[in-house]
Amino acid sequence: MYLLFAPPRRLFPVLFLLLHRRDLALLLLSLTLLAPPAAPHQSSSFSGSVALTEWRSAHASYYAVFDPLDTVGGACGYGDLGKSGYGMATAGLSEALFEKGAACGGCYEVRCVEELRYCLPGTSMVLTVTNFCAPNYGLPADAGGICNAPNHHILMPIQAFEKIAIWKAGVMPIQYRRVKCVREGGVRFTIDGKGFFYNVLISNVAGAGDIVAVKIKGSATGWLPMGRNWGQIWHISADLQGQALSFEVSSSDGVTLTSYNVAPKNWAFGKTYVGKQFPF
């Protein structure tokens, strides 16, 4: 016969002595099954993006950001990273990863490994490539030249670094993998230049994030290929004034996106126009 009420505390020792060993085992098992399940381990900063590659080994370090102007510029051409929506979740890649600017706009998930004293367990961070970590050929790659080839190195703002590790880690081992970029709104086309020479910055790209080929079309022309000027700034010499502009952009995963009449016929230099967006 089993008790159906909670006995006073002083009766618990007596109760357990009276129970048969088999009954005691069943009671403990029942208590275990009734206990709430442990919460699953979750990353504090991973956005759930779809992985494009396997995890690979690299090193990471950080730089301090003291002034808002420290987030302006960069080797990808995005300008003010705050206004362009990238914020502090950004990265500069070493020579072996930067691919002469072709990597700009891609997204990397990074996590701290090995340095258990400094790693924040279970965390990861998704970063957008916006800059280049320049090599220092005055130092060997294995003795101070952290961004020299063939090193795989990721440089990030301290605000991003401290999402996965304590700042005392300095240069630390990490793992990284390419993931799909998640963006709000459409792909942005910022047109600059003079006369019939045009520069177009392509930003806020979802999916693979990086752009490998661009074509432009005026309302009175066919499709014209553009060349990479630097980073994700593409150029062409063609007189397209007074024509609505369409763009065809291709990412590194083979997806091509066509946005028709993105810029109206009265478009102007210095303006940004928004097109369609890649799936993610």
Side-chain angles (χ1 to χ4, degrees):
M1 181 176 182
Y2 293 95
L3 293 172
L4 299 179
F5 63 90
R9 187 183 301 272
R10 63 178 180 272
L11 291 183
F12 270 110
V14 178
L15 177 62
F16 278 104
L17 286 174
L18 293 176
L19 286 172
H20 189 276
R21 287 184 178 179
R22 183 182 61 183
D23 295 332
L24 180 58
L26 290 173
L27 176 61
L28 293 175
L29 177 61
S30 299
L31 292 174
T32 300
L33 294 174
L34 290 173
H41 177 73
Q42 294 180 343
S43 164
S44 66
S45 45
F46 178 38
S47 68
S49 300
V50 177
L52 298 175
T53 65
E54 298 297 322
W55 289 104
R56 298 167 182 170
S57 297
H59 283 80
S61 58
Y62 65 85
Y63 62 93
V65 178
F66 298 109
D67 190 297
L69 292 178
D70 292 336
T71 63
V72 177
C76 291
Y78 294 126
D80 190 322
L81 298 179
K83 291 181 179 179
S84 58
Y86 296 114
M88 294 294 179
T90 58
L93 300 187
S94 63
E95 188 175 30
L97 295 173
F98 191 64
E99 299 177 4
K100 298 181 179 180
C104 289
C107 291
Y108 287 74
E109 183 188 3
V110 297
R111 64 185 182 186
C112 180
V113 294
E114 298 181 23
E115 289 286 354
L116 300 182
R117 296 173 297 168
Y118 304 122
C119 294
L120 301 181
T123 60
S124 66
M125 185 73 184
V126 176
L127 308 170
T128 300
V129 180
T130 61
N131 213 338
F132 176 45
C133 184
N136 180 357
Y137 295 121
L139 296 173
D142 58 354
I146 57 176
C147 288
N148 295 6
N151 293 343
H152 285 199
H153 192 92
I154 297 177
L155 179 66
M156 63 185 80
I158 190 170
Q159 289 87 342
F161 187 92
E162 289 187 320
K163 297 292 185 181
I164 61 171
I166 300 171
W167 66 270
K168 291 182 180 180
V171 177
M172 67 176 186
I174 63 163
Q175 289 182 334
Y176 73 92
R177 64 179 178 180
R178 283 286 305 275
V179 296
K180 283 193 173 184
C181 301
V182 177
R183 304 289 184 218
E184 294 183 2
V187 175
R188 298 174 190 152
F189 301 88
T190 303
I191 305 174
D192 208 343
K194 188 175 182 180
F196 56 84
F197 180 80
Y198 304 155
N199 275 327
V200 179
L201 167 64
I202 302 176
S203 61
N204 198 53
V205 180
D210 52 358
I211 298 300
V212 298
V214 179
K215 292 180 181 179
I216 188 171
K217 178 185 181 303
S219 52
T221 73
W223 287 103
L224 307 172
M226 302 185 75
R228 188 190 301 275
N229 195 327
W230 57 281
Q232 285 300 353
I233 296 179
W234 297 75
H235 68 90
I236 191 171
S237 293
D239 187 1
L240 300 174
Q241 292 284 350
Q243 301 181 50
L245 303 180
S246 303
F247 292 93
E248 181 183 280
V249 292
S250 300
S251 55
S252 61
D253 59 355
V255 179
T256 297
L257 180 74
T258 305
S259 296
Y260 289 99
N261 301 321
V262 173
K265 65 180 181 179
N266 61 341
W267 62 267
F269 290 125
K271 300 291 186 180
T272 298
Y273 303 92
V274 181
K276 295 180 181 179
Q277 185 57 275
F278 285 89
F280 54 89

